[in-house]
Amino acid sequence: HHGLSRVEFKQAALWYKEHAADSDRMLISETNVPKYYSGFGDEKFIPSYFIKGTTIKELVPELAGLKATYVFVDDFYIRRLPYKDPNAIDRKAFVFKEIRDRGESTGHFKLVKTFHTRGGITSYLYRFIP
């Protein structure tokens, strides 16, 4: 569970632990690994399976209401979308893919950090701008 296959979540957690302000909250598709490595509790994370929006347009006001400040776009679940993996669908990987592909052009997502992991895994951390 905490192995190489999800090391991108570990990288994001370690970055967040070092840089998070008290009021920061991160939208993320998985919280177990990030909570473990950051030492933060539930209040610092917004699990993606709780969100209702299915497009960036729907997501922006929802994230503003949830007081999100960061969005972590992982490659772990996006890579599983073509196989119709139920976990990828439940965790809204299609929304994260849309953020990755066109989020910056909306003006609501500013790329903060790119994480590269062995095996061609690339993940992105965005600052959310309501």
Side-chain angles (χ1 to χ4, degrees):
H1 182 75
H2 297 282
L4 181 61
S5 67
R6 295 194 182 161
V7 73
E8 61 197 296
F9 293 100
K10 176 183 176 182
Q11 291 175 322
L14 294 174
W15 183 95
Y16 196 37
K17 179 180 182 176
E18 187 176 324
H19 295 92
D22 289 343
S23 61
D24 283 336
R25 297 187 77 210
M26 181 187 291
L27 174 67
I28 193 164
S29 61
E30 178 173 311
T31 59
N32 289 338
V33 173
K35 286 193 305 187
Y36 177 83
Y37 283 103
S38 69
F40 294 144
D42 290 334
E43 71 282 353
K44 297 293 280 179
F45 298 99
I46 303 164
S48 61
Y49 48 82
F50 285 152
I51 60 171
K52 293 175 181 31
T54 58
T55 64
I56 289 177
K57 186 177 180 179
E58 294 172 348
L59 192 60
V60 167
E62 186 174 1
L63 290 180
L66 292 168
K67 298 185 181 346
T69 52
Y70 289 102
V71 175
F72 179 64
V73 175
D74 64 89
D75 196 38
F76 187 81
Y77 290 107
I78 290 175
R79 282 184 171 204
R80 285 153 175 74
L81 279 173
Y83 308 106
K84 297 182 175 39
D85 181 319
N87 289 319
I89 294 164
D90 288 348
R91 293 169 192 266
K92 313 283 194 309
F94 51 90
V95 175
F96 287 110
K97 183 178 184 307
E98 187 176 358
I99 292 168
R100 181 195 69 193
D101 294 348
R102 51 178 224 90
E104 281 196 289
S105 68
T106 69
H108 292 288
F109 302 90
K110 181 180 190 279
L111 184 63
V112 173
K113 177 97 174 133
T114 303
F115 300 95
H116 298 283
T117 308
R118 236 177 17 195
I121 297 169
T122 304
S123 302
Y124 308 89
L125 180 67
Y126 294 92
R127 180 80 167 164
F128 173 65
I129 305 157

